[in-house]
Amino acid sequence: MMLGAAASALLLTSVGTPAALAQSTANQVALVDYVNPLMGTDSSYRLSYGNTYPAVAVPFGMNSWTPVTGEPGSGWGYTYDGEKISGIKQTHQPSPWMNDYAAFALMAETGPVKVKQEERGSWFSHKAEVARPYSYKVYLADYDVTAEVAPTTRAAQFRFTFPESDDAHILLDGLAGGSMVKVDVKNRRITGYVRNNHGGVPDNFHNYFVAEFDRDFTLARTWAGDNAPANELAREGDHVGAVLSFKTKKDDKVHVRVASSFISPEQALRNLRTEIGNDSFDTTKAKAKAEWEKELSRIRVTDPDAEKIRTFYSALYRMLQFPRIFYEKDANGKIVHYSPYDGKVHDGYMFTDNGFWDTWRAVFPFFALMYPERDSQFMQGLVNTYKQGGWLPEWASPGYRNVMIGSNSANLIADAYFNGVRGFDVETLYEAMIKNATTSEGRPKDKAGKVIAAVGREGAEYYNRLGYVPYDVGINENAARTLEYATADFSIAQLAKLLGKDADAKKYTERALNYRKLYDKESGWIRGRNQDGSWSTPFNPYKWGDAFTEGNALHYSWAVMQDVHGLMDLMGGREKFVERLDAIFTTPPIFDESYYGQVIHEIREMQIVDMGQYAHGNQPIQHMPYLYNWAGAPWKTQHHVRDIMAKLYSSAPDGYPGDEDNGQTSAWYVFSALGFYPVASATGEYAIGSPLFQKAELTMPNGKTLTINAKNNSDANIYLQSVALGGKPLSKTYFTHRALSQGGTVDFVMGAKPNKQWGTAPADAPFSISAPSK
């Protein structure tokens, strides 16, 4: 990708130094070097600008590595305002709200040994920190040490550059939660395991690790808890670690090769030999860079604004981290996995660290479009989960976790199959979807014996009898559950049609209209309803939580992706619908937080961005700007999606509008920047928005190229004047999956004023259950 001189200068200023880009030509930069892994790290419990950490990994890697600035055990392991680094840890954390599991850390020191995390931290500066997806480098000022790490899927290489010292040390910290270390001095090796987790694991859960060093130790010690290191070569307990000492000259480098396994110590060593072998640090780094470049180069964007390009590829990098690989390869190269559901080792694929409440919306549709082979593997992993645990995972980390609502697994399964993803046991997954929709009995329990309500459908029996989950039966967030169950029912119906299950298709299509039972004509909003049919009172549409999940009635009333036309009819037709959409952006951001007893970060993120009641920082309303396409006002979609991209996203540490959430908030940006978005699952349609770039070239899975041109595109020219697909004018306000996957050319012509004639006819609108046949 070629950039002008000004853009190239800006890129070097913001992305990295000339040395960091040494492999690039004067005017051409590797796509991966546009990525800023620090995007979204300027976050806290009170306010999220992403709640991310700089993940050093390969795409979908089993392990990531990240520097640690936070307190021991904190979900906020790295934040941009942190002042000290206490280690670089292997992490599997999908979100600070889920916290981490199977983590351990390495740290380098000089002088007296400090084992406590809060004491050993070294001051550092972002000016002496280089974060890349494929490597991380930082200067630990208190010890005059430079620490570096480069990843593989299940292993990593460290390089520590020391000053002259008689007391140079490398610590391996097993962290609290159950750990063991054993030092093999002869083979310059540490082996052991860690068991730390925050749920979702069987009793026999272990992450086994091996760390091999490239030079002899002058001293090897271990420690337990807060005790000083002792001359013992093995320790086991709640929190143990090892410290290896060296005598170094100035600029001496100590290399450590590390790998891990959820299966066995032998498998950890196999992973090390297979993925690193005799490679140098620089070779591992180059291989990781090449893996990222291969994936990112599937989409090449062209634009004079380098910041837009940085933001795009930084978001794409986040999308390609989850769900995380949870399988390994045995001595014969066969794919096997330790199951976080039954604690046994099985053949086949397994993935984890994903919340479908977030990612069904755009992340998995992206996989279906651009990564159908990988999506097939994800589906195979879901088959294995169902067989081993008896239920589909709605939030896995690494096994079932009791977080969020819905049975959104149905959406991503049906969407994959509808869009041509094959190679998995769809009948078994259909059986699992029907089980979710049929009963809430027999769901898994946590270690305290409490039912994991996030699995299956809480209140399924009420929903199936009444058509909604009642407000007054002790099930919280009941209106949100009803809406999400109706959306999942639509997905079941769509898959049933494809599988020839006509009776089921009819039944679940009817259930997909259950949202109507919670639409209150008097208030004009979706509302909680009691078991006897009366409305819940008092009703405040600005009240967050209660009948809804991390939102209010103004957000959830639009969560009818499967039947926007039907919702529009309830609201009084196209003109009224547009007025209601407009009002979301103009109504002041007033709120009622009483359900939570505090202003949760999602509320604050809505309040402060000057977009009225629009809460892009959370998922339930992210599709809403595209709904104008159903109502004959697509130019308003174009205005709002460009405004959201410009105001709420950047590649900076505060570059997200709320939790990034396993790629979903990134996926909204990636799709929207390309000019379209998957509002409804299992329809094979993408609502058209306003493309961000002058040109984008997508290499489709079949090898064909999809070229998206946006003539006259600029920050001022955000409105579509015309659209052509394959050279033929298009009046529809959507693209089909089938058309895009065949490659070819999309030609947008952009302008500064809306074309209020394009895409306005009722027949131009995307799919709805209730809409007249196209």
Side-chain angles (χ1 to χ4, degrees):
M1 177 167 30
M2 304 300 292
L3 298 175
S8 295
L10 177 61
L11 178 67
L12 291 177
T13 299
S14 302
V15 174
T17 64
L21 304 176
Q23 297 184 24
S24 303
T25 63
N27 292 320
Q28 189 171 13
V29 177
L31 299 183
V32 67
D33 285 327
Y34 285 100
V35 174
N36 181 13
L38 302 182
M39 177 179 174
T41 60
D42 188 10
S43 300
S44 68
Y45 173 87
R46 295 180 63 190
L47 188 65
S48 174
Y49 286 112
N51 265 334
T52 64
Y53 53 85
V56 185
V58 297
F60 308 109
M62 189 173 86
N63 310 317
S64 297
W65 299 85
T66 184
V68 178
T69 66
E71 298 177 0
S74 169
W76 286 264
Y78 178 101
T79 54
Y80 192 77
D81 63 356
E83 297 172 336
K84 294 184 177 182
I85 286 178
S86 62
I88 298 174
K89 74 170 178 175
Q90 183 186 102
T91 179
H92 307 91
Q93 179 171 299
S95 159
W97 309 106
M98 307 298 292
N99 215 307
D100 211 346
Y101 67 90
F104 60 93
L106 277 75
M107 181 62 178
E109 301 177 352
T110 55
V113 174
K114 301 174 183 177
V115 299
K116 294 182 182 179
Q117 185 174 332
E118 58 269 29
E119 294 178 357
R120 69 180 184 232
S122 168
W123 281 86
F124 81 107
S125 168
H126 297 300
K127 296 176 177 63
E129 176 188 48
V130 180
R132 296 280 180 265
Y134 54 85
S135 67
Y136 178 81
K137 181 178 181 179
V138 67
Y139 178 64
L140 303 174
D142 288 345
Y143 305 118
D144 193 20
V145 171
T146 297
E148 301 173 81
V149 63
T152 72
T153 301
R154 303 170 187 85
Q157 289 219 54
F158 284 79
R159 180 165 66 192
F160 298 101
T161 303
F162 284 94
E164 182 173 353
S165 175
D166 291 337
D167 293 299
H169 319 287
I170 295 176
L171 284 70
L172 192 155
D173 188 346
L175 307 179
S179 47
M180 185 275 282
V181 293
K182 182 178 181 180
V183 181
D184 180 346
V185 174
K186 180 181 179 181
N187 290 303
R188 304 168 174 168
R189 180 186 297 164
I190 305 175
T191 56
Y193 62 75
V194 293
R195 305 194 66 201
N196 54 81
N197 67 84
H198 289 81
V201 299
D203 291 338
N204 66 347
F205 173 76
H206 291 76
N207 183 26
Y208 302 95
F209 63 81
V210 56
E212 292 188 343
F213 296 72
D214 69 342
R215 61 188 296 170
D216 292 334
F217 321 135
T218 58
L219 184 61
R221 290 168 286 176
T222 61
W223 84 84
D226 292 335
N227 297 320
N231 294 327
E232 299 178 27
L233 296 182
R235 292 280 185 127
E236 186 173 15
D238 177 68
H239 182 181
V240 303
V243 54
L244 306 177
S245 302
F246 309 89
K247 185 175 182 180
T248 57
K249 297 179 181 178
K250 181 176 174 56
D251 294 330
D252 267 3
K253 292 175 171 54
V254 178
H255 294 84
V256 190
R257 295 180 170 94
V258 186
S260 62
S261 167
F262 293 102
I263 295 174
S264 69
E266 295 78 17
Q267 183 65 42
L269 185 59
R270 182 175 297 116
N271 292 341
L272 184 68
R273 298 287 183 260
T274 300
E275 298 191 8
I276 292 183
N278 296 319
D279 285 352
S280 68
F281 178 91
D282 288 333
T283 298
T284 295
K285 179 178 174 181
K287 285 183 176 180
K289 181 176 183 178
E291 285 194 53
W292 277 111
E293 192 68 12
K294 176 184 176 184
E295 302 306 337
L296 298 180
S297 64
R298 292 187 181 210
I299 304 177
R300 291 186 173 273
V301 297
T302 304
D303 200 85
D305 188 339
E307 168 57 19
K308 292 177 183 175
I309 297 171
R310 283 194 294 274
T311 305
F312 181 84
Y313 285 109
S314 297
L316 187 54
Y317 147 80
R318 288 288 170 195
M319 287 175 64
L320 300 180
Q321 291 179 28
F322 301 102
R324 191 188 302 281
I325 286 171
F326 206 73
Y327 62 84
E328 305 174 52
K329 295 182 180 179
D330 69 10
N332 298 314
K334 184 172 63 175
I335 292 172
V336 295
H337 65 269
Y338 166 83
S339 172
Y341 302 99
D342 67 8
K344 301 176 182 178
V345 177
H346 300 269
D347 293 346
Y349 290 103
M350 180 62 64
F351 296 85
T352 190
D353 295 333
N354 215 256
F356 296 157
W357 186 82
D358 305 288
T359 57
W360 77 264
R361 304 166 194 270
V363 176
F364 278 90
F366 179 83
F367 295 150
L369 180 66
M370 298 299 296
Y371 285 84
E373 290 187 10
R374 177 75 71 173
D375 206 16
S376 175
Q377 295 173 6
F378 295 150
M379 297 303 122
Q380 292 175 58
L382 291 180
V383 171
N384 290 330
T385 296
Y386 177 64
K387 289 181 176 178
Q388 294 158 21
W391 295 85
L392 290 167
E394 299 300 330
W395 233 120
S397 182
Y400 299 124
R401 296 287 294 275
N402 199 19
V403 180
M404 307 312 291
I405 67 167
S407 57
N408 297 300
S409 52
N411 299 326
L412 56 100
I413 293 166
D415 189 69
Y417 198 81
F418 191 94
N419 288 314
V421 177
R422 296 293 185 270
F424 61 95
D425 183 354
V426 68
E427 290 288 351
T428 292
L429 291 186
Y430 184 80
E431 173 190 310
M433 293 160 67
I434 295 298
K435 181 178 180 179
N436 271 1
T438 304
T439 181
S440 64
E441 296 299 316
R443 288 175 294 169
K445 298 180 179 179
D446 62 20
K447 291 188 176 181
K450 184 178 179 180
V451 170
I452 301 176
V455 175
R457 295 186 181 185
E458 181 78 347
E461 287 77 14
Y462 288 112
Y463 176 82
N464 293 341
R465 177 165 55 87
L466 300 173
Y468 61 94
V469 180
Y471 181 87
D472 59 346
V473 295
I475 298 176
N476 63 348
E477 303 169 14
N478 37 80
R481 294 180 193 275
T482 298
L483 294 173
E484 296 197 21
Y485 298 166
T487 300
D489 283 343
F490 172 73
S491 294
I492 293 173
Q494 293 293 85
L495 184 55
K497 290 176 186 176
L498 295 176
L499 298 180
K501 303 177 188 295
D502 296 338
D504 278 0
K506 183 176 184 297
K507 171 183 176 180
Y508 286 98
T509 298
E510 291 172 354
R511 289 190 179 186
L513 300 175
N514 278 337
Y515 70 90
R516 296 173 174 177
K517 299 190 177 184
L518 293 190
Y519 185 78
D520 172 23
K521 292 182 180 180
E522 183 176 345
S523 70
W525 300 112
I526 295 289
R527 182 175 174 181
R529 194 165 199 165
N530 295 320
Q531 191 172 186
D532 64 4
S534 62
W535 295 110
S536 62
T537 55
F539 174 61
N540 177 0
Y542 302 108
K543 185 176 184 179
W544 281 61
D546 196 20
F548 302 101
T549 302
E550 296 177 2
N552 61 29
L554 276 68
H555 305 143
Y556 264 93
S557 292
W558 311 103
V560 186
M561 298 79 159
Q562 71 276 16
D563 194 27
V564 179
H565 183 92
L567 178 65
M568 188 161 54
D569 285 345
L570 288 176
M571 290 186 171
R574 301 213 307 174
E575 290 184 9
K576 291 286 187 182
F577 190 74
V578 169
E579 290 174 5
R580 300 288 299 278
L581 289 170
D582 289 344
I584 295 298
F585 292 102
T586 59
T587 302
I590 56 178
F591 57 84
D592 174 355
E593 79 283 13
S594 60
Y595 176 77
Y596 299 106
Q598 62 176 320
V599 179
I600 62 174
H601 75 94
E602 290 91 349
I603 295 176
R604 191 70 73 202
E605 288 144 16
M606 177 198 74
Q607 180 195 26
I608 63 178
V609 296
D610 193 22
M611 286 188 173
Q613 289 287 326
Y614 181 67
H616 189 80
N618 212 18
Q619 281 66 41
I621 201 172
Q622 286 180 350
H623 68 289
M624 192 214 84
Y626 285 93
L627 299 188
Y628 290 102
N629 284 11
W630 277 259
W635 66 90
K636 295 198 173 192
T637 286
Q638 296 153 32
H639 165 78
H640 286 297
V641 297
R642 287 291 284 267
D643 189 47
I644 293 164
M645 285 190 277
K647 281 187 179 179
L648 302 187
Y649 288 84
S650 78
S651 67
D654 64 348
Y656 286 108
D659 283 355
E660 197 284 321
D661 284 330
N662 297 149
Q664 170 55 31
T665 303
S666 293
W668 187 96
Y669 186 89
V670 168
F671 267 120
S672 296
L674 294 174
F676 51 94
Y677 186 79
V679 171
S681 66
T683 62
E685 294 182 357
Y686 305 88
I688 294 175
S690 175
L692 185 64
F693 301 109
Q694 293 183 353
K695 184 177 182 179
E697 291 182 303
L698 286 66
T699 301
M700 307 309 290
N702 55 14
K704 296 181 180 180
T705 299
L706 174 66
T707 302
I708 302 172
N709 299 309
K711 185 179 179 181
N712 303 326
N713 204 3
S714 69
D715 290 343
N717 295 344
I718 65 173
Y719 295 106
L720 305 188
Q721 305 303 298
S722 64
V723 183
L725 179 61
K728 297 180 180 180
L730 181 71
S731 64
K732 306 293 186 185
T733 59
Y734 61 92
F735 296 126
T736 67
H737 181 97
R738 182 185 299 274
L740 296 182
S741 62
Q742 292 305 306
T745 302
V746 174
D747 291 301
F748 294 104
V749 177
M750 312 298 292
K753 296 182 179 180
N755 176 0
K756 296 186 178 181
Q757 306 306 311
W758 180 82
T760 59
D764 292 331
F767 173 89
S768 285
I769 296 174
S770 302
S773 299
K774 297 178 185 178

